[in-house]
Amino acid sequence: MSQTVDRALSILPLLAQGPANLEQVSQRLGVHKSTALRLLRTLHEHGIVYRQQDQRYRLGARLFALAQEAIENLDVREIAHPHLVRLNEKTGHTVHLAVYEENEVLYIDKVESRYPVRMYSRIGKPVAITVAAVAKLLLADLPERERREVAESLDYPAYTARSTPNAAAFLAELAKVREQGWATDLGGHEESINCIGAPVRGADGRAIAAMSVSAPSVVVTADELLTLLPLVRRTAEAISADYSGKPR
C-alpha cells in the first residue's frame, strides 16, 4: 500500500472517534500540517470527510452511503455456501443456513448429508419456529420487547414430547441461547433428528443468519453431534468475518 493511501485511510479511524482539527490529524499521522491538509481536502472532495464550520473534520455522508450500499448488496448465502460445503465435507451431515424474514424463519441454503437417511427440509421452506435451532438463534437476537411479542404470538405444536410447550418456556430457552451463543434442537421437531447451530453476525454484531448441522440419531447420537459444536461455531465465525469484511 502506498504511503499516501495508508495515511489517508489512517484518518478515518481517528474521525470515527469524533470530529478532529487539522493539528490533531497531523499529529496522529505524524506528518506536517500541509500534508494532512492535502489528504483531508482530497477526502473532502470525495465526500468521505466533511469540514464543519468550526474547521474540524468529521466522517462524511458519502462514506455512510457507500457502507450502506455495500451491506445491501451483500448476499449472505453466496458468502456462506463454500463454508457450508466444507463443513458438510468434514462431518458428512446436513448443513442449513436460515434467515428471519416477515415473522418466519426460512431456509435459504442446504447441503445434503452423505448418509442414506436424509432430512425433508427444503430451501425456501419455513422452519418449525418454536423448536428449530436456527430459529432460536435468530429470535434470541431480537430486542427483548420484540422477542417477547413474537414468543407470545406463536402457537406451540407438540411435535414430540421434547417440543417447546409454551411462550414462557420458549423465552427461557431464548435467554439461554442468547447467553451461550449457540442452540440445539434435540428431538424437538422429530424424535429421531438432532441439530446444533450457531449465529452468523454482521459487522454490527447482530445475527443476520443462522447455520446448523443436523443428523438422525441412527447415524450419530445427540452427544456425538454435540462434539461438533466447536467446529460449527468456528464455521459461523468464519462466515461472519467474510460477510463483515474482517481479516481472519
Side-chain angles (χ1 to χ4, degrees):
M1 183 183 297
S2 74
Q3 189 178 50
T4 300
V5 174
D6 183 60
R7 286 173 173 169
L9 292 176
S10 297
I11 293 173
L12 303 184
L14 170 63
L15 299 186
Q17 298 172 16
N21 60 32
L22 178 59
E23 183 174 355
Q24 290 171 319
V25 173
S26 66
Q27 288 178 350
R28 175 67 173 268
L29 299 182
V31 298
H32 193 273
K33 287 184 181 180
S34 61
T35 301
L37 180 59
R38 185 168 63 253
L39 293 170
L40 286 166
R41 282 176 173 170
T42 300
L43 292 171
H44 181 267
E45 288 171 2
H46 289 275
I48 304 302
V49 305
Y50 176 78
R51 188 175 65 180
Q52 302 177 159
Q53 289 187 349
D54 62 4
Q55 304 304 308
R56 293 190 301 165
Y57 293 84
R58 61 170 172 80
L59 295 178
R62 177 61 176 159
L63 181 63
F64 296 107
L66 288 171
Q68 185 62 36
E69 185 177 353
I71 290 171
E72 290 174 354
N73 287 318
L74 284 175
D75 183 346
V76 67
R77 181 184 181 277
E78 181 179 351
I79 293 169
H81 188 73
H83 295 279
L84 305 183
V85 170
R86 284 194 289 272
L87 182 60
N88 169 266
E89 291 171 347
K90 290 177 181 178
T91 66
H93 305 312
T94 302
V95 182
H96 287 110
L97 183 71
V99 295
Y100 181 56
E101 290 184 354
E102 298 181 355
N103 299 318
E104 288 186 323
V105 177
L106 306 169
Y107 289 127
I108 60 171
D109 202 2
K110 177 184 181 182
V111 185
E112 288 281 8
S113 166
R114 73 165 70 110
Y115 298 100
V117 181
R118 296 187 173 183
M119 297 182 62
Y120 292 106
S121 55
R122 297 193 305 272
I123 294 174
K125 180 180 178 181
V127 311
I129 197 168
T130 59
V131 292
V134 289
K136 294 174 186 177
L137 289 160
L138 292 165
L139 296 184
D141 198 64
L142 296 175
E144 182 178 0
R145 181 176 178 180
E146 185 177 355
R147 195 162 68 241
R148 182 170 295 278
E149 288 175 351
V150 171
E152 292 176 349
S153 71
L154 296 173
D155 295 324
Y156 290 85
Y159 300 108
T160 75
R162 299 179 184 177
S163 298
T164 309
N166 51 49
F170 193 47
L171 285 168
E173 178 70 7
L174 295 183
K176 177 182 176 183
V177 168
R178 188 178 180 92
E179 181 178 356
Q180 68 189 15
W182 51 276
T184 63
D185 169 14
L186 304 179
H189 187 219
E190 298 178 59
E191 286 278 5
S192 61
I193 301 292
N194 297 307
C195 177
I196 55 175
V200 175
R201 300 192 181 278
D204 60 358
R206 299 192 63 182
I208 48 93
M211 56 148 299
S212 64
V213 171
S214 304
S217 54
V218 295
V219 176
V220 291
T221 66
D223 288 341
E224 289 170 335
L225 187 66
L226 283 167
T227 65
L228 298 176
L229 184 58
L231 177 59
V232 172
R233 297 186 75 180
R234 286 197 299 272
T235 301
E237 289 167 1
I239 297 170
S240 301
D242 284 355
Y243 184 86
S244 302
K246 297 178 180 178
R248 288 190 283 126

